Amino acid sequence: MIEVREWTRGDTARLLRVPTSGDDKYSRGVVALRTGSDTYPGAAVLGTEAAWRAGAGFVRYVGGERAGDAVLARRPETVVGSDTGRSRVDAWVIGSGTDADSRTDAETAALREILAGTASVVVDAGALDLAGGSHAPVLLTPHAKEFASLRTALRLPASDDEHRAEAAVEVAAALDATVLLKGARTLIADAGGQVIEVAAGTAWLATAGTGDVLGGVLGALLAANPHAAVAEVAAAGAWLHGSAGRLAAGAVDGAPGHPIVALDVAHALPRAIADLLA
């Protein structure tokens, strides 16, 4: 039986770094996103919005023209373009809003180059198939169906809800990565067998695009905490995302809440951070 650590509000507060007079936009963390597609340009918008709202000092978007235009229309602070070689990057977010089946060879090569680097990488959706053998510290963020596909690709047996923790550890160990398994109770497992559970959200978060928002939050926190354990940063990001979801939905102090859309969660991130730090 694997011991599961319950993540708390206090644990999250430790990993939210308040900027000081000595900080600049680079020291606060540089996030780069290679997300979205012509089919799903909104994923790029949601991820970049969330990265900014979660406290990143500098956000760069690298992707298709349609998605890039949408990002600039929404967040003109974002630097859009493929020339990242001159810019420091502390954390990447890749794969959100993309489909591995329609990925070009050039895109595959670009993603593999990111995974071969030294900056932490949040790997979502259409990039999950590239995770094995990465040099970079990798955080995989599958939902249940994507997780099942990962296990199949790794020739691991199907798992059930009762053994989610053990199954997450198996995948993390097989890929030498950290796994954030999304769900009503999110599990984070690393290759060493540590498992953290985060139960800070609301069922109103079960709506399209909230996973893209989570990716941006994770990228921002990883960029701001380059020396912290990836699993702990992931847990903090999941907790913060859940808290923002509750605030956005009005699901606080016993209230049932109301429907939300993904951008509502991103908009609520500053309030969630202020509440946590108060």
Side-chain angles (χ1 to χ4, degrees):
M1 185 70 177
I2 291 179
E3 182 177 348
V4 178
R5 173 185 173 188
E6 189 75 30
W7 193 256
T8 69
R9 175 189 180 94
D11 292 329
T12 304
R14 285 191 298 104
L15 290 163
L16 289 184
R17 192 168 70 81
V18 178
T20 69
S21 59
D23 276 307
D24 60 26
K25 62 187 177 184
Y26 299 107
S27 64
R28 291 186 61 192
V30 179
V31 182
L33 298 96
R34 194 175 184 109
T35 58
S37 60
D38 286 346
T39 305
Y40 304 109
V45 175
L46 292 167
T48 52
E49 177 85 14
W52 282 118
R53 299 281 185 175
F58 190 109
V59 180
R60 179 181 284 273
Y61 176 72
V62 183
E65 184 176 353
R66 184 184 179 202
D69 288 345
V71 166
L72 279 178
R74 176 72 198 178
R75 284 269 65 91
E77 305 93 334
T78 309
V79 175
V80 174
S82 59
D83 183 13
T84 60
R86 300 178 185 176
S87 298
R88 163 183 138 191
V89 174
D90 298 307
W92 280 92
V93 182
I94 64 173
S96 305
T98 69
D99 182 357
D101 291 338
S102 59
R103 190 173 61 222
T104 65
D105 290 344
E107 182 65 12
T108 297
L111 294 174
R112 288 196 184 281
E113 184 176 353
I114 291 169
L115 290 165
T118 57
S120 297
V121 187
V122 179
V123 182
D124 191 27
L128 286 167
D129 64 305
L130 301 176
S134 306
H135 178 266
V138 167
L139 171 60
L140 311 179
T141 60
H143 55 53
K145 186 176 179 180
E146 291 166 339
F147 184 71
S149 295
L150 273 175
R151 290 187 64 83
T152 298
L154 292 168
R155 301 182 184 277
L156 295 171
S159 60
D160 54 34
D161 286 345
E162 186 178 349
H163 298 95
R164 286 177 80 226
E166 291 84 354
V169 168
E170 284 182 333
V171 172
L175 295 174
D176 192 24
T178 302
V179 174
L180 185 153
L181 178 54
K182 301 170 187 174
R185 298 180 74 83
T186 294
L187 290 181
I188 298 99
D190 65 19
Q194 174 185 207
V195 180
I196 302 171
E197 185 176 66
V198 181
T202 168
W204 293 113
L205 278 168
T207 188
T210 55
D212 304 324
V213 172
L214 175 61
V217 173
L218 295 170
L221 292 190
L222 284 168
N225 294 279
H227 304 299
V230 172
E232 294 200 345
V233 177
W239 195 99
L240 182 61
H241 179 259
S243 178
R246 290 198 313 275
L247 288 171
V252 294
D253 298 326
H258 52 73
I260 53 176
V261 294
L263 268 179
D264 295 336
V265 182
H267 289 168
L269 284 165
R271 280 192 291 149
I273 292 170
D275 177 69
L276 185 62
L277 296 176

PDB file of all heavy atoms in Angstrom, residues 35-59:
ATOM      1  N   THR A  35       1.784  25.513 -27.530  1.00  0.00           N
ATOM      2  CA  THR A  35       0.479  24.889 -27.329  1.00  0.00           C
ATOM      3  C   THR A  35      -0.480  25.397 -28.395  1.00  0.00           C
ATOM      4  O   THR A  35      -0.154  26.279 -29.177  1.00  0.00           O
ATOM      5  CB  THR A  35      -0.077  25.245 -25.935  1.00  0.00           C
ATOM      6  OG1 THR A  35      -0.156  26.678 -25.819  1.00  0.00           O
ATOM      7  CG2 THR A  35       0.811  24.708 -24.831  1.00  0.00           C
ATOM      8  N   GLY A  36      -1.687  24.862 -28.397  1.00  0.00           N
ATOM      9  CA  GLY A  36      -2.701  25.311 -29.331  1.00  0.00           C
ATOM     10  C   GLY A  36      -2.443  24.847 -30.752  1.00  0.00           C
ATOM     11  O   GLY A  36      -1.367  24.338 -31.076  1.00  0.00           O
ATOM     12  N   SER A  37      -3.439  25.017 -31.592  1.00  0.00           N
ATOM     13  CA  SER A  37      -3.369  24.595 -32.994  1.00  0.00           C
ATOM     14  C   SER A  37      -4.443  25.351 -33.757  1.00  0.00           C
ATOM     15  O   SER A  37      -5.256  26.073 -33.171  1.00  0.00           O
ATOM     16  CB  SER A  37      -3.623  23.085 -33.099  1.00  0.00           C
ATOM     17  OG  SER A  37      -4.917  22.761 -32.578  1.00  0.00           O
ATOM     18  N   ASP A  38      -4.463  25.181 -35.066  1.00  0.00           N
ATOM     19  CA  ASP A  38      -5.516  25.818 -35.851  1.00  0.00           C
ATOM     20  C   ASP A  38      -6.892  25.302 -35.441  1.00  0.00           C
ATOM     21  O   ASP A  38      -7.883  26.024 -35.513  1.00  0.00           O
ATOM     22  CB  ASP A  38      -5.291  25.561 -37.345  1.00  0.00           C
ATOM     23  CG  ASP A  38      -4.149  26.394 -37.914  1.00  0.00           C
ATOM     24  OD1 ASP A  38      -3.708  27.351 -37.231  1.00  0.00           O
ATOM     25  OD2 ASP A  38      -3.691  26.083 -39.027  1.00  0.00           O
ATOM     26  N   THR A  39      -6.940  24.046 -35.014  1.00  0.00           N
ATOM     27  CA  THR A  39      -8.213  23.467 -34.582  1.00  0.00           C
ATOM     28  C   THR A  39      -8.606  23.946 -33.197  1.00  0.00           C
ATOM     29  O   THR A  39      -9.779  24.209 -32.927  1.00  0.00           O
ATOM     30  CB  THR A  39      -8.121  21.929 -34.597  1.00  0.00           C
ATOM     31  OG1 THR A  39      -7.701  21.496 -35.893  1.00  0.00           O
ATOM     32  CG2 THR A  39      -9.463  21.297 -34.258  1.00  0.00           C
ATOM     33  N   TYR A  40      -7.603  24.076 -32.308  1.00  0.00           N
ATOM     34  CA  TYR A  40      -7.867  24.472 -30.922  1.00  0.00           C
ATOM     35  C   TYR A  40      -6.993  25.660 -30.515  1.00  0.00           C
ATOM     36  O   TYR A  40      -6.148  25.553 -29.616  1.00  0.00           O
ATOM     37  CB  TYR A  40      -7.604  23.301 -29.973  1.00  0.00           C
ATOM     38  CG  TYR A  40      -8.390  22.051 -30.285  1.00  0.00           C
ATOM     39  CD1 TYR A  40      -7.755  20.919 -30.811  1.00  0.00           C
ATOM     40  CD2 TYR A  40      -9.764  21.988 -30.064  1.00  0.00           C
ATOM     41  CE1 TYR A  40      -8.466  19.768 -31.088  1.00  0.00           C
ATOM     42  CE2 TYR A  40     -10.484  20.837 -30.348  1.00  0.00           C
ATOM     43  CZ  TYR A  40      -9.833  19.728 -30.859  1.00  0.00           C
ATOM     44  OH  TYR A  40     -10.547  18.593 -31.152  1.00  0.00           O
ATOM     45  N   PRO A  41      -7.177  26.804 -31.138  1.00  0.00           N
ATOM     46  CA  PRO A  41      -6.342  27.961 -30.768  1.00  0.00           C
ATOM     47  C   PRO A  41      -6.620  28.458 -29.351  1.00  0.00           C
ATOM     48  O   PRO A  41      -5.766  29.086 -28.732  1.00  0.00           O
ATOM     49  CB  PRO A  41      -6.723  29.018 -31.816  1.00  0.00           C
ATOM     50  CG  PRO A  41      -8.107  28.647 -32.254  1.00  0.00           C
ATOM     51  CD  PRO A  41      -8.135  27.147 -32.220  1.00  0.00           C
ATOM     52  N   GLY A  42      -7.815  28.181 -28.848  1.00  0.00           N
ATOM     53  CA  GLY A  42      -8.165  28.645 -27.506  1.00  0.00           C
ATOM     54  C   GLY A  42      -7.266  28.094 -26.417  1.00  0.00           C
ATOM     55  O   GLY A  42      -7.068  28.742 -25.385  1.00  0.00           O
ATOM     56  N   ALA A  43      -6.702  26.913 -26.627  1.00  0.00           N
ATOM     57  CA  ALA A  43      -5.818  26.332 -25.619  1.00  0.00           C
ATOM     58  C   ALA A  43      -4.608  27.221 -25.381  1.00  0.00           C
ATOM     59  O   ALA A  43      -4.129  27.353 -24.247  1.00  0.00           O
ATOM     60  CB  ALA A  43      -5.369  24.937 -26.052  1.00  0.00           C
ATOM     61  N   ALA A  44      -4.099  27.842 -26.450  1.00  0.00           N
ATOM     62  CA  ALA A  44      -2.960  28.749 -26.321  1.00  0.00           C
ATOM     63  C   ALA A  44      -3.348  29.983 -25.523  1.00  0.00           C
ATOM     64  O   ALA A  44      -2.590  30.455 -24.662  1.00  0.00           O
ATOM     65  CB  ALA A  44      -2.461  29.150 -27.710  1.00  0.00           C
ATOM     66  N   VAL A  45      -4.539  30.520 -25.785  1.00  0.00           N
ATOM     67  CA  VAL A  45      -5.020  31.696 -25.069  1.00  0.00           C
ATOM     68  C   VAL A  45      -5.185  31.395 -23.580  1.00  0.00           C
ATOM     69  O   VAL A  45      -4.743  32.162 -22.718  1.00  0.00           O
ATOM     70  CB  VAL A  45      -6.358  32.186 -25.664  1.00  0.00           C
ATOM     71  CG1 VAL A  45      -6.935  33.342 -24.851  1.00  0.00           C
ATOM     72  CG2 VAL A  45      -6.180  32.601 -27.119  1.00  0.00           C
ATOM     73  N   LEU A  46      -5.801  30.277 -23.276  1.00  0.00           N
ATOM     74  CA  LEU A  46      -6.069  29.919 -21.881  1.00  0.00           C
ATOM     75  C   LEU A  46      -4.772  29.691 -21.107  1.00  0.00           C
ATOM     76  O   LEU A  46      -4.637  30.122 -19.957  1.00  0.00           O
ATOM     77  CB  LEU A  46      -6.949  28.671 -21.832  1.00  0.00           C
ATOM     78  CG  LEU A  46      -8.375  28.860 -22.341  1.00  0.00           C
ATOM     79  CD1 LEU A  46      -9.055  27.505 -22.545  1.00  0.00           C
ATOM     80  CD2 LEU A  46      -9.193  29.713 -21.376  1.00  0.00           C
ATOM     81  N   GLY A  47      -3.817  28.999 -21.724  1.00  0.00           N
ATOM     82  CA  GLY A  47      -2.554  28.727 -21.034  1.00  0.00           C
ATOM     83  C   GLY A  47      -1.742  29.970 -20.783  1.00  0.00           C
ATOM     84  O   GLY A  47      -1.185  30.156 -19.693  1.00  0.00           O
ATOM     85  N   THR A  48      -1.659  30.862 -21.782  1.00  0.00           N
ATOM     86  CA  THR A  48      -0.884  32.088 -21.585  1.00  0.00           C
ATOM     87  C   THR A  48      -1.569  33.004 -20.573  1.00  0.00           C
ATOM     88  O   THR A  48      -0.902  33.605 -19.726  1.00  0.00           O
ATOM     89  CB  THR A  48      -0.672  32.840 -22.916  1.00  0.00           C
ATOM     90  OG1 THR A  48      -1.929  33.035 -23.570  1.00  0.00           O
ATOM     91  CG2 THR A  48       0.246  32.073 -23.827  1.00  0.00           C
ATOM     92  N   GLU A  49      -2.876  33.111 -20.649  1.00  0.00           N
ATOM     93  CA  GLU A  49      -3.611  33.919 -19.671  1.00  0.00           C
ATOM     94  C   GLU A  49      -3.331  33.431 -18.252  1.00  0.00           C
ATOM     95  O   GLU A  49      -3.063  34.214 -17.339  1.00  0.00           O
ATOM     96  CB  GLU A  49      -5.111  33.849 -19.961  1.00  0.00           C
ATOM     97  CG  GLU A  49      -5.995  34.596 -18.976  1.00  0.00           C
ATOM     98  CD  GLU A  49      -6.139  36.072 -19.296  1.00  0.00           C
ATOM     99  OE1 GLU A  49      -5.781  36.480 -20.412  1.00  0.00           O
ATOM    100  OE2 GLU A  49      -6.631  36.813 -18.427  1.00  0.00           O
ATOM    101  N   ALA A  50      -3.390  32.115 -18.067  1.00  0.00           N
ATOM    102  CA  ALA A  50      -3.171  31.546 -16.738  1.00  0.00           C
ATOM    103  C   ALA A  50      -1.751  31.755 -16.252  1.00  0.00           C
ATOM    104  O   ALA A  50      -1.521  32.023 -15.053  1.00  0.00           O
ATOM    105  CB  ALA A  50      -3.507  30.056 -16.747  1.00  0.00           C
ATOM    106  N   ALA A  51      -0.776  31.627 -17.154  1.00  0.00           N
ATOM    107  CA  ALA A  51       0.613  31.841 -16.748  1.00  0.00           C
ATOM    108  C   ALA A  51       0.817  33.270 -16.243  1.00  0.00           C
ATOM    109  O   ALA A  51       1.462  33.499 -15.210  1.00  0.00           O
ATOM    110  CB  ALA A  51       1.550  31.540 -17.912  1.00  0.00           C
ATOM    111  N   TRP A  52       0.270  34.246 -16.971  1.00  0.00           N
ATOM    112  CA  TRP A  52       0.357  35.634 -16.512  1.00  0.00           C
ATOM    113  C   TRP A  52      -0.347  35.811 -15.178  1.00  0.00           C
ATOM    114  O   TRP A  52       0.186  36.415 -14.237  1.00  0.00           O
ATOM    115  CB  TRP A  52      -0.285  36.576 -17.542  1.00  0.00           C
ATOM    116  CG  TRP A  52       0.533  36.895 -18.745  1.00  0.00           C
ATOM    117  CD1 TRP A  52       0.240  36.622 -20.046  1.00  0.00           C
ATOM    118  CD2 TRP A  52       1.784  37.610 -18.782  1.00  0.00           C
ATOM    119  NE1 TRP A  52       1.221  37.098 -20.880  1.00  0.00           N
ATOM    120  CE2 TRP A  52       2.171  37.723 -20.137  1.00  0.00           C
ATOM    121  CE3 TRP A  52       2.603  38.169 -17.796  1.00  0.00           C
ATOM    122  CZ2 TRP A  52       3.347  38.360 -20.534  1.00  0.00           C
ATOM    123  CZ3 TRP A  52       3.768  38.812 -18.182  1.00  0.00           C
ATOM    124  CH2 TRP A  52       4.129  38.905 -19.529  1.00  0.00           C
ATOM    125  N   ARG A  53      -1.573  35.304 -15.071  1.00  0.00           N
ATOM    126  CA  ARG A  53      -2.374  35.509 -13.867  1.00  0.00           C
ATOM    127  C   ARG A  53      -1.798  34.797 -12.648  1.00  0.00           C
ATOM    128  O   ARG A  53      -2.056  35.187 -11.513  1.00  0.00           O
ATOM    129  CB  ARG A  53      -3.804  35.020 -14.108  1.00  0.00           C
ATOM    130  CG  ARG A  53      -4.547  35.742 -15.215  1.00  0.00           C
ATOM    131  CD  ARG A  53      -5.076  37.069 -14.753  1.00  0.00           C
ATOM    132  NE  ARG A  53      -5.890  37.718 -15.781  1.00  0.00           N
ATOM    133  CZ  ARG A  53      -6.548  38.848 -15.597  1.00  0.00           C
ATOM    134  NH1 ARG A  53      -6.481  39.465 -14.430  1.00  0.00           N
ATOM    135  NH2 ARG A  53      -7.254  39.388 -16.574  1.00  0.00           N
ATOM    136  N   ALA A  54      -1.006  33.755 -12.882  1.00  0.00           N
ATOM    137  CA  ALA A  54      -0.401  33.019 -11.772  1.00  0.00           C
ATOM    138  C   ALA A  54       0.929  33.616 -11.334  1.00  0.00           C
ATOM    139  O   ALA A  54       1.584  33.076 -10.449  1.00  0.00           O
ATOM    140  CB  ALA A  54      -0.223  31.550 -12.149  1.00  0.00           C
ATOM    141  N   GLY A  55       1.351  34.727 -11.968  1.00  0.00           N
ATOM    142  CA  GLY A  55       2.513  35.439 -11.458  1.00  0.00           C
ATOM    143  C   GLY A  55       3.772  35.383 -12.277  1.00  0.00           C
ATOM    144  O   GLY A  55       4.820  35.870 -11.827  1.00  0.00           O
ATOM    145  N   ALA A  56       3.734  34.812 -13.480  1.00  0.00           N
ATOM    146  CA  ALA A  56       4.934  34.791 -14.315  1.00  0.00           C
ATOM    147  C   ALA A  56       5.360  36.225 -14.632  1.00  0.00           C
ATOM    148  O   ALA A  56       4.528  37.109 -14.836  1.00  0.00           O
ATOM    149  CB  ALA A  56       4.675  34.022 -15.612  1.00  0.00           C
ATOM    150  N   GLY A  57       6.669  36.440 -14.704  1.00  0.00           N
ATOM    151  CA  GLY A  57       7.168  37.768 -15.038  1.00  0.00           C
ATOM    152  C   GLY A  57       7.306  38.004 -16.523  1.00  0.00           C
ATOM    153  O   GLY A  57       7.317  39.147 -16.984  1.00  0.00           O
ATOM    154  N   PHE A  58       7.399  36.917 -17.282  1.00  0.00           N
ATOM    155  CA  PHE A  58       7.622  37.013 -18.733  1.00  0.00           C
ATOM    156  C   PHE A  58       7.014  35.759 -19.351  1.00  0.00           C
ATOM    157  O   PHE A  58       7.306  34.641 -18.911  1.00  0.00           O
ATOM    158  CB  PHE A  58       9.118  37.085 -19.018  1.00  0.00           C
ATOM    159  CG  PHE A  58       9.497  37.415 -20.439  1.00  0.00           C
ATOM    160  CD1 PHE A  58      10.046  38.654 -20.747  1.00  0.00           C
ATOM    161  CD2 PHE A  58       9.339  36.503 -21.469  1.00  0.00           C
ATOM    162  CE1 PHE A  58      10.431  38.974 -22.050  1.00  0.00           C
ATOM    163  CE2 PHE A  58       9.705  36.798 -22.772  1.00  0.00           C
ATOM    164  CZ  PHE A  58      10.256  38.049 -23.065  1.00  0.00           C
ATOM    165  N   VAL A  59       6.161  35.951 -20.345  1.00  0.00           N
ATOM    166  CA  VAL A  59       5.528  34.812 -21.020  1.00  0.00           C
ATOM    167  C   VAL A  59       5.752  34.929 -22.511  1.00  0.00           C
ATOM    168  O   VAL A  59       5.514  35.978 -23.114  1.00  0.00           O
ATOM    169  CB  VAL A  59       4.012  34.742 -20.724  1.00  0.00           C
ATOM    170  CG1 VAL A  59       3.386  33.551 -21.453  1.00  0.00           C
ATOM    171  CG2 VAL A  59       3.754  34.633 -19.220  1.00  0.00           C
TER     172      VAL A  59
END
